[in-house]
Amino acid sequence: MDSFFSVLDATIRVATPLVLAALAGLFSERSGIVDLALEGKMLAAAFAAACVAYMMQSPWAGLAAGMAAGVMVALLHGIVSIGYNGNQLISGVALNMMVSGLTPVLALAWFQQGGRTPTLDDAARFRSIELPFADAIATSAPLKALFGHNILVYLALLVIVVVSWVVYKSRFGLRLRAVGENPHAADAAGINVKLVRYLAQSISGALCGVAGAYLVLAQTGAFIQDMTAGKGYLALAALIFGKWRPWAAVSGCLLFAFTDAIQIRLQGSALPLIGSIPDAFIQAIPYVLTVVLLAGFMGKAVAPKAIGVPFVKSR
Amino acid sequence: MAELAIELTGVNKYFGEVHANKNISFAVAKGSIHGIIGENGAGKSTLMSILYGYYQADSGSIRLNGQEVRIRNSHDAIARGIGMVHQHFMLVDTFTVLENIVLGAEQGLALKQSLLAARAHLATLNRDYGLQVDPDAIVGELGVGEQQRVEILKALYRGADVLILDEPTAVLTPQEADDLFRILGLLKAQGKTVLLITHKLREVLDITDAVTVMRAGEIVGNVVTAEVGKEDLADLMVGRKVNLQLDKTPATPGKTVLQVSNLSLTDARGVKLLDDVSFELREGEIVGIAGVSGNGQSELLEILSGMREASAGSVRYNGTELTTLPTREPKAAAYRRLGIAHVPEDRSREGLVKDFSTFENAILGYHDDPAIQRGLLFNRKAIIERCRRFISEFDVRPANAFRRSGLFSGGNQQKVILAREIDSDPQLMLIGQPTRGVDIGAIEFIHKRLMALRNAGKALLLVSVELDEILALSDRIIVMNAGRVSGELPAAQATATELGLLMGGHK
Amino acid sequence: MSQPSNLPRWATLWLMPVLNLFAALLVSGLVITLIGEDPVECLQLMINGAFGYPEGIGYTLFYTTSFIFTGLAVAAAFHAGLFNIGGEGQMYLAGLGVTLVCLGLDFLPGWVVIPLALLASMVFGAAWAFIPGYLQAKRGSHIVVTTIMFNFIASALMTWLLVDKLIMPGSQTPATRLFAESAWIPMLHELAANLGIELPQTPLNATFFLALISLVVFYLMVWRSRWGYALRTVGLNEKAARYAGMPVSKVIIVAMCFSGALAGLAAVNELLGSTHRMNLAFTNGIGFVGIAVALMGRNHPFGILLSALLFGALTQGGLDLSFEKPAITHEMIILTQGLIILFCGALENLFQTPLALAFKQMTKR
């Protein structure tokens, strides 16, 4: 029972930044812009959040800075992909490299602690919210796992609900999907395609900003070089795994986070029938699943039709 | 005189050197169906794009309901009550009908209100015009005719009083077309003005009140439909261009090279692109395939050249069945090896690689030729020599084998392709639009070479939308309409009028 | 892909990459200024570190060697219209091939083991690229996403193998035992010593010559053979390739294998040429640098040679620089790489319009 609880608890903690990043990617890709830059957006945000939270001694200031940094990287991606009709894939790869290089350089210059930032005091972090009555309500492990998280976890929950509403039930969502599926039809209907794409990039940047800030303000308490460690790509995989739909992408994130959580649990221990599974195999599950899905062996993942193609007005 | 919905005066439009619309003036009465008819490239689409705000006229004025207006973009056009049904539908396939209809016309933050309002409005429109479209259907799953009705609904929903339809029946079955005409009649009855762009005589005669005929960017006639006959319209539409002078000796056809029987092609949506096409082609003759583009000629060429699989039917080439040819390499390569050369319709997208140097394009499709290999590598000298030979024999200018193909004029690109295909000494030559976008001097040159090829005993299949070209070169003419052979006749007996009628499917 | 521009050929081929490179370096310089250092001084230190003394040159050329291979790998796929981000993973797997041969066959003499190891590196690299290539050609799975996934899968696989299986018995660090000395590829200073020339000790080894040969072979294959002709036709105009009767799917798959094999050779330089054992971090981003090298070098062997040299110099000069200026670490080089990819790859047309205008003005006069 206890181990079950701790696996669920860990799943939620690991899943939160993934969920935020995957939903960020959803905006970007649904608008027709391939987003390999999720990793870079998150990493930039983590760095900005760490710096500002340290200087201002406030997690909220850190969060705001993280979001701003995410938006900045997103707008760079936007200027290249939307403004200059550049290659979106290359832009993403380049931005990830740039952020991965720039952040430790700045960290070293500003804090002289190698490539990292000073560890934050408790006051500058988001702490778990312990409700006095939680133990009374939460009688089973799944319920218990829902309590005792920090505010960003609950914010992420709210974001899921809001995003799925925005994408499917709002005017902006309709235009977002139209622009990603058939920008020429959207254009003929009088919609400003580039504007919608820039807005989608900004939202993507802001959500990645929260994800990146989470890593620092709720988990490590400091910026560490390359601390996103592929989470951006994992989120992208979850997005594809979820066939570019919010709830399905979230499920993908939970699944990937769950594999991560049980991997720690299973370390060294042998399972009945199968014997011991090397961690690496469990680690690889998300990536293998994504490839299998992309290969069309598990239903067809149909990307937004106009993805990756710069919009050039015809006629 | 009836009240005027649209009045154009002296509209001109240039694209660089090309004068696409020359001094266009005409008027459309309110509550009428007005046809605009002309061949490919007559300037109809440009004109309609000006009306819908995609282009700005370089000079001239547009009046809507008596008021002079400037239409700067599609947004402006919609606001002024102009709706457009594009030939290639502007719909989001993954959306429902309702979502497509409100897209761009939604109000407020949430969709719900807009969708509810639209649903109610749609019910009225559906009833008033007998459109019968399910608002909750996914557009991508609808048939072409229904999708078109969604486009019409979209325009009506935005309050269009003037509806422009660009070649609306190009993709429809005859039944669907009849349905469309019924709807257009209802629109007219409700006081809407309809502009119908088409090349099909039958439609114009059947449903329009007045017709504007365009040719080569100019208006050649503004007539009341009831007062003209189909022959007059066909004459006006096709016109008399510069008569191409060619020394055409009588053909001496030899044995049959190509025998096409009951060839059909159905696309993924079940639309018949080719329908039971049969004909034969003999040595030493040119068979011309006439027709407005998009009536199956392209698909026919693709199948005959091995780039596409037919759905049914047989193609025999020198007695060999091609459709079931056992080969491990792609069919296009196998056919070429058998002596079928192909000058593709879409020169710059298929016939050559623009970023290649000319000498590289001189071997496209023949890159396996042993004569240009030296061990594992190309014999570069031989390739360049071959290209230089092409250049001098076909008078390609500038005479530079290393120049990128994309930098050459259309005529010179075409000469390189033609040289390459002729050089392979084919038995059967498939030629699509040999002189599209080619300057006059090169046209004459290309025509002479094709004639020489025919006189040398080759079989030539010529697809062209230029009637004059078909008439000047062909020994026999096959006319295609809606994927079918609508007529076959000896060139000597063919007149432009008669061909025009067949091309319009009116016979 | 690209439209014929109005610019003269030399401007597109030389001026634009140089301008793009200059823009990237300018931004790097701004960052250096921002952290309180003098970019001009840093540039001098870097150039001196990369070319100013014999050891420096040796290291520069050693890094250049690997970059040539991964740059060619990216270029090979690019010519077929494919963006292979999987060089890192392909190189990783190639390292496994090399290691298995070297550890398993170390009773054989070097002249047998080394060619076998070379072959294994290419086969393993190609195999790891084959799957994404196959999935792209036959099932339409996007090559970029699958190669990224394959990088992660490769990393997980290799971690497991190194930690659990191939680790040197009794060791704590995840690395194999040293390969038999007979399998080491001779260092350049050793070769030179045989000829009586004294060179400083650097990891520069005979693989460098293999890289130079690869450049030539790459050129001949891609530009002078019918195989490369089909490759480029598919990459530039798939419709024309179908018109020409080329087997498009096959061309795509073979191109990926070719690409993977080239990436694999980079592992030979690192493992047989320098470390002589496999560890977890031997790929060290070399696969990703290949992207920058190929984009900067316009996917042409001569350009790749120059840009690999540039990146080799950046790496070596950057290391030297970081000794002198502790504030400027290796990450500064990664930033610069990213900037070069951005300016040369995604913003390649940034200067096209202004340049075209400038040329128009000039020709008018």
Side-chain angles (χ1 to χ4, degrees), chain B residues 479-499:
Chain B
V479 186
M480 287 189 68
N481 178 271
R484 304 182 66 95
V485 173
S486 59
E488 179 174 341
L489 61 169
Q493 297 163 23
T495 64
T497 313
E498 191 176 6
L499 289 178

Side-chain angles (χ1 to χ4, degrees), chain B residues 307 330 332-333 336 342-344 346 348-356 360-361 363-365 367-368 373 375-378 380 404 406-407 417 420-421, chain C residues 1-5 7-9 12 219-230 232-234 236-248:
Chain B
M307 294 172 70
R336 203 169 264 125
H342 178 200
V343 177
D346 197 339
S348 53
R349 292 219 191 103
E350 287 178 4
L352 44 76
V353 180
K354 278 189 192 167
D355 289 317
F356 273 179
E360 289 177 296
N361 275 317
I363 56 168
L364 188 68
H367 47 282
D368 286 332
Q373 317 292 332
L376 289 170
L377 299 179
F378 273 149
R380 203 172 136 94
R404 250 186 306 155
L407 297 174
I417 296 176
R420 177 183 76 207
E421 298 304 319
Chain C
M1 257 184 329
S2 59
Q3 289 168 348
S5 73
L7 287 174
R9 210 171 146 80
T12 332
Y219 174 76
L220 291 176
M221 280 177 77
V222 173
W223 274 275
R224 293 294 178 89
S225 81
R226 52 185 154 162
W227 178 83
Y229 183 79
R232 288 182 298 129
T233 307
V234 167
L236 286 170
N237 187 339
E238 204 180 299
K239 265 189 134 177
R242 294 193 191 282
Y243 160 78
M246 294 164 179
V248 174

Side-chain angles (χ1 to χ4, degrees), chain C residues 236-261:
Chain C
L236 286 170
N237 187 339
E238 204 180 299
K239 265 189 134 177
R242 294 193 191 282
Y243 160 78
M246 294 164 179
V248 174
S249 296
K250 192 174 139 197
V251 170
I252 285 176
I253 295 171
V254 175
M256 278 305 284
C257 292
F258 181 48
S259 174

Side-chain angles (χ1 to χ4, degrees), chain B residues 129-371:
Chain B
Y129 301 104
L131 287 163
Q132 293 151 344
V133 178
D134 172 11
D136 299 312
I138 302 286
V139 162
E141 293 167 5
L142 294 177
V144 182
E146 279 175 301
Q147 289 195 359
Q148 191 172 60
R149 273 181 265 157
V150 177
E151 281 278 34
I152 295 173
L153 275 173
K154 224 167 96 181
L156 294 176
Y157 180 74
R158 283 162 172 70
D161 288 317
V162 175
L163 199 62
I164 305 170
L165 295 108
D166 189 1
E167 300 282 0
T169 56
V171 287
L172 300 184
T173 64
Q175 292 76 13
E176 284 174 325
D178 287 342
D179 223 33
L180 173 70
F181 296 150
R182 182 184 55 76
I183 293 163
L184 295 184
L186 283 169
L187 285 169
K188 177 184 159 187
Q190 303 265 351
K192 307 275 184 196
T193 308
V194 176
L195 267 175
L196 179 71
I197 307 169
T198 184
H199 60 260
K200 294 183 184 167
L201 295 173
R202 179 178 78 98
E203 296 170 4
V204 169
L205 290 167
D206 281 0
I207 66 161
T208 64
D209 300 300
V211 192
T212 295
V213 188
M214 289 186 74
R215 196 198 318 144
E218 282 181 287
I219 287 186
V220 291
N222 268 315
V223 291
V224 175
T225 312
E227 295 170 3
V228 288
K230 56 187 178 185
E231 285 81 7
D232 307 331
L233 276 184
D235 267 349
L236 273 174
M237 178 168 114
V238 176
R240 285 273 144 260
K241 283 174 229 169
V242 203
N243 239 334
L244 297 159
Q245 294 298 323
L246 260 180
D247 290 326
K248 190 152 120 189
T249 49
T252 47
K255 69 175 176 71
T256 300
V257 175
L258 184 72
Q259 174 96 48
V260 175
S261 340
N262 311 101
L263 199 65
S264 291
L265 177 70
T266 313
D267 75 1
R269 281 184 167 173
V271 176
K272 284 212 157 178
L273 300 173
L274 284 179
D275 191 359
D276 205 21
V277 171
S278 303
F279 64 90
E280 62 170 41
L281 178 57
R282 283 176 291 173
E283 283 179 340
E285 71 169 351
I286 300 181
V287 167
I289 296 197
V292 176
S293 63
N295 279 291
Q297 308 96 305
S298 308
E299 289 77 9
L300 181 64
L301 275 188
E302 281 177 0
I303 291 174
L304 295 181
S305 62
M307 294 172 70
R308 197 163 179 168
E309 298 279 334
S311 315
S314 115
V315 177
R316 293 190 84 78
Y317 168 75
N318 282 339
T320 313
E321 178 58 49
L322 286 185
T323 53
T324 54
L325 192 73
T327 163
R328 292 194 55 183
E329 58 188 344
K331 274 197 171 146
Y335 287 11
R336 203 169 264 125
R337 231 178 277 289
L338 290 174
I340 301 177
H342 178 200
V343 177
E345 283 190 301
D346 197 339
R347 174 171 57 235
S348 53
R349 292 219 191 103
E350 287 178 4
L352 44 76
V353 180
K354 278 189 192 167
D355 289 317
F356 273 179
S357 298
T358 299
F359 75 87
E360 289 177 296
N361 275 317
I363 56 168
L364 188 68
Y366 302 94
H367 47 282
D368 286 332
D369 184 352

Side-chain angles (χ1 to χ4, degrees), chain B residues 3-78:
Chain B
E3 215 178 324
L4 294 181
I6 306 169
E7 199 181 349
L8 269 70
T9 325
V11 169
N12 279 290
K13 178 71 193 171
Y14 295 86
F15 295 109
E17 311 272 286
V18 183
H19 201 168
N21 278 171
K22 294 179 201 163
N23 211 16
I24 302 289
S25 303
F26 72 96
V28 178
K30 215 171 206 165
S32 73
I33 299 181
H34 190 103
I36 295 182
I37 191 162
E39 284 187 292
N40 297 98
K44 300 168 292 185
S45 291
T46 305
L47 187 59
M48 291 309 111
S49 296
I50 290 173
L51 261 182
Y52 197 59
Y54 284 138
Y55 296 144
Q56 304 296 301
D58 293 322
S59 64
S61 77
I62 302 173
R63 280 163 178 275
L64 282 179
N65 300 320
Q67 275 201 325
E68 176 139 3
V69 292
R70 280 202 57 204
I71 304 167
R72 282 159 308 190
N73 49 43
S74 51
H75 212 91
D76 267 7
I78 295 167

